[in-house]
Amino acid sequence: MVELKTEESINEMRAPGRVVARALAAVRQAAHVGVSLLELDAAARAVLAEAGASSPFLGYRPHFAPVPFPGVICASVNDAIVHGVPDGYRLRDGDLVSIDCGAKLGGWVGDAAVSFTVGRPRPADVRLIETAEAALAAGIAAARPGNRIGDIAHAIGTVCRSAGYGIMEDFGGHGVGRTMHEDPGVPNEGRPGRGMQLRPGMVLAIEPMLIAGGTDDYRCDGDGWTLRTLDGSRAAHAEHTVAITADGPRILTAL
């Protein structure tokens, strides 16, 4: 069931969205060679605490997870695509880092992700990240009343495939509202004109996940959470929470 949010509710959702944006900015600022993923998680926790927000990630345990998630961010490095568990790993020169973060405030949830490099960037990583951001922008541009879920999926998939990248199988975006994962699902590849029609009041997390090697396959680490590329190539993830309004898409997780 898809909950249509009122204009007032969408305005209220900007509060957790801003917290997420500030947390991601703090993590990015703290991410230097030698800094641990646990320290990045601590930077995000400090932002959430200051805002009086809670984390929808911390303690989250879906059916596939052997243990509750232990962090307020997902920290995925290099060949990790998504759901990386923040641990004692210390960042190295040239690492590609994807950070996913959520916040709950006033009963509403915001969810976003960003990818960046640490130290001296590899040109191939820069291109991968830029393409992930371009795919996200294309998906957001298609999030307009009268379009369909397939139009968002097609816009994202076209950007990714045209650049020669793979798209993670079985995972994509989702509705956001009172909880982190709501209907509808938002695939990262699909046929235009297909799927649920987009209506004002829908709020979606749009999140392309790109695999540099061009395959779509992944594997899960022994922690039961971290999903890695099967071919060992690098990955990038970009995400915003977006409200569909009569005036067009409104990004709720921008600074």
Side-chain angles (χ1 to χ4, degrees):
M1 178 178 176
V2 177
E3 177 192 2
L4 297 180
K5 281 74 175 177
T6 64
E7 183 177 354
E8 180 181 5
S9 295
I10 290 172
N11 288 335
E12 291 173 353
M13 290 186 72
R14 269 297 278 150
R18 288 191 183 98
V19 174
V20 170
R22 292 199 299 271
L24 289 174
V27 169
R28 188 166 188 166
Q29 186 175 18
H32 299 289
V33 173
V35 173
S36 74
L37 300 184
L38 284 172
E39 290 174 293
L40 299 186
D41 189 72
R45 287 178 189 248
V47 173
L48 267 61
E50 182 180 8
S54 61
S55 169
F57 289 17
L58 185 62
Y60 180 58
R61 188 179 183 182
H63 68 278
F64 62 79
V67 295
F69 194 78
V72 303
I73 62 169
C74 295
S76 306
V77 181
N78 297 331
D79 64 331
I81 313 167
V82 290
H83 302 167
V85 175
D87 57 18
Y89 175 84
R90 294 193 176 276
L91 297 173
R92 302 170 183 172
D93 187 43
D95 276 348
L96 193 167
V97 184
S98 297
I99 302 294
D100 194 351
C101 185
K104 187 167 187 178
L105 186 65
W108 297 106
V109 172
D111 185 12
V114 64
S115 294
F116 54 86
T117 56
V118 176
R120 292 168 293 182
R122 300 181 182 184
D125 290 345
V126 173
R127 178 175 177 266
L128 178 65
I129 293 168
E130 289 177 345
T131 305
E133 293 171 348
L136 175 59
I140 292 172
R144 296 181 176 277
N147 280 355
R148 294 183 178 272
I149 292 291
D151 294 308
I152 298 176
H154 178 71
I156 292 171
T158 297
V159 173
C160 298
R161 297 298 190 191
S162 297
Y165 297 130
I167 299 170
M168 188 182 186
E169 288 185 331
D170 309 320
F171 284 84
H174 49 86
V176 183
R178 296 289 183 182
T179 63
M180 181 167 55
H181 293 126
E182 297 184 353
D183 291 333
V186 186
N188 286 326
E189 191 169 30
R191 297 175 62 183
R194 297 297 183 92
M196 181 179 294
Q197 189 171 50
L198 305 178
R199 298 169 58 190
M202 294 174 70
V203 179
L204 308 174
I206 299 174
E207 50 177 326
M209 308 163 197
L210 281 62
I211 297 174
T215 69
D216 299 347
D217 301 322
Y218 63 91
R219 63 178 178 84
C220 187
D221 274 3
D223 61 20
W225 279 102
T226 307
L227 302 180
R228 297 186 184 276
T229 62
L230 193 62
D231 61 4
S233 65
R234 295 193 169 197
H237 179 202
E239 177 184 16
H240 269 308
T241 296
V242 180
I244 296 170
T245 77
D247 297 324
R250 181 182 176 191
I251 301 174
L252 301 180
T253 45
L255 279 174

